[in-house]
Amino acid sequence: MRFAGIVMLLIFAVALALAVGARSISPRIFLEALTHYDQTDPAHVTVAAIRIPRLFAGLIAGAALGVAGTVMQAITRNPLADPGILGVNSGAAFALLLGTTLLGRSDQAMVALLTFPGAAIASIIVFALGGGLRGDVGPVRLTLAGAALNALLLSLVTALVLVRQDSLEVFRFWVAGSLTQATTRPLMEMAMVASVGGLAALAIAPQIEALSLGSALSRGLGTRPGRVQAGALAVVTLTTGSAVAVAGPIAFLGLMVPPLARLIVGHWLRMELIVSAILGATILLFADVLGRVVMAPSEVRAGIMTALLGGPVFLWVARRLRPGAQS
């Protein structure tokens, strides 16, 4: 029943994302735009050229960040971890900001080419600093390494904006995630990449769960902690990179979704991943719709809305933590 409920909630969020905005779109007009598209009708153009791409961007980014956050919290055994705390978000955004500023391009191909190397390099650095090269990576060490890298990358972003004033306009978009530029993003390609990351997460979920028993016991069960953690970081790279490529760095979504998923399905990682993908997409779509109407006719970016929604969730999770407890 709970699973059916969140699916229905996602369907409702999809309907709102298609109907609500500066121009209200009725179900009849939406169906006409799909079945008898008229490029001279402004309502049809709004549906086909703006609402549908924006909807798909929200579904891709929300589901990807939900999966990334769940994997990150499982691998670090830290309920306050998300892709941002390991610097993966910042790595992808910094690489894109640097590349687009220096090369003067921000088209679909450039976004795809820059985002994933940035996320991958950040993941590798965190893995190495966390002790992965010695096969002795721990959740606390990994989290601290990610926090340090995240602070460094944010400092580099600030320095780049100060040195190159022409990067400020690009920075304005990438400092807070948004779905408004969905029509210029490689949606189909990023959907495939995010799907590969999600399937890989489902495949290694039992091995990640085995790590929660401790390194010694998990090795006794045939699990190789270093390889599993490297695989988890690869999953986070794929999912976070695809999300950043279509929506920019969406704050707090990877943090707030996993605890909600655990409330629904308990500690069963594969089901957590599925529910987190649904909840991530649902929350991001609701945040985007709320951002359209809260200060209409102006818009508040989806990344700002998720930060506002995620703040109370962060406090709630932090208050439930006990000294020495692990998720």
Side-chain angles (χ1 to χ4, degrees), residues 66-155:
V67 170
T70 300
V71 170
M72 193 55 58
Q73 292 188 13
I75 201 68
T76 62
R77 302 195 291 279
N78 182 354
L80 297 178
D82 78 334
I85 204 171
L86 288 194
V88 183
N89 262 347
S90 299
F94 173 71
L96 199 148
L97 177 64
L98 179 64
T100 54
T101 299
L102 296 180
L103 301 176
R105 290 176 53 192
S106 59
D107 51 79
Q108 293 188 13
M110 188 57 58
V111 168
L113 286 173
L114 294 173
T115 301
F116 290 100
I121 291 172
S123 297
I124 293 170
I125 292 174
V126 169
F127 187 63
L129 293 176
L133 298 180
R134 303 187 305 273
D136 187 31
V137 61
V140 175
R141 188 183 293 114
L142 197 66
T143 303
L144 291 175
L149 179 64
N150 190 45
L152 173 62
L153 290 171
L154 290 177
S155 299

Side-chain angles (χ1 to χ4, degrees), residues 17 22 29 38 76-77 148 151-152 154 160 211 222 224 259 270 282 284 299:
I29 295 177
D38 180 3
T76 62
R77 302 195 291 279
L152 173 62
L154 290 177
L160 179 62
L211 290 184
R224 297 185 177 181
R270 278 182 171 166
T282 302
L284 184 54
E299 285 194 19

Side-chain angles (χ1 to χ4, degrees), residues 198-238:
L199 292 174
L202 291 173
I204 66 173
Q207 286 75 32
I208 294 177
E209 289 179 312
L211 290 184
S212 65
L213 302 174
S215 297
L217 186 54
S218 63
R219 286 191 180 95
L221 295 174
T223 301
R224 297 185 177 181
R227 290 188 178 183
V228 175
Q229 288 160 337
L233 287 179
V235 167
V236 172
T237 298
L238 292 174

Side-chain angles (χ1 to χ4, degrees), residues 161-281:
V161 172
L162 292 175
V163 172
R164 293 286 300 268
Q165 294 296 318
D166 56 337
S167 67
L168 182 60
E169 191 60 33
V170 180
F171 174 74
R172 288 178 61 191
F173 174 77
W174 291 106
V175 71
S178 173
L179 303 180
T180 57
Q181 297 188 15
T183 55
T184 65
R185 302 305 172 199
L187 298 181
M188 292 301 297
E189 293 84 352
M190 295 305 102
M192 290 187 288
V193 172
S195 297
V196 170
L199 292 174
L202 291 173
I204 66 173
Q207 286 75 32
I208 294 177
E209 289 179 312
L211 290 184
S212 65
L213 302 174
S215 297
L217 186 54
S218 63
R219 286 191 180 95
L221 295 174
T223 301
R224 297 185 177 181
R227 290 188 178 183
V228 175
Q229 288 160 337
L233 287 179
V235 167
V236 172
T237 298
L238 292 174
T239 51
T240 304
S242 59
V244 172
V246 301
I250 300 290
F252 275 108
L253 191 61
L255 172 70
M256 72 173 106
V257 167
L260 300 176
R262 285 191 289 271
L263 284 177
I264 295 172
V265 298
H267 291 271
W268 179 14
L269 187 54
R270 278 182 171 166
M271 280 304 299
E272 282 182 54
L273 290 167
I274 295 171
V275 172
S276 291
I278 298 172
L279 285 176

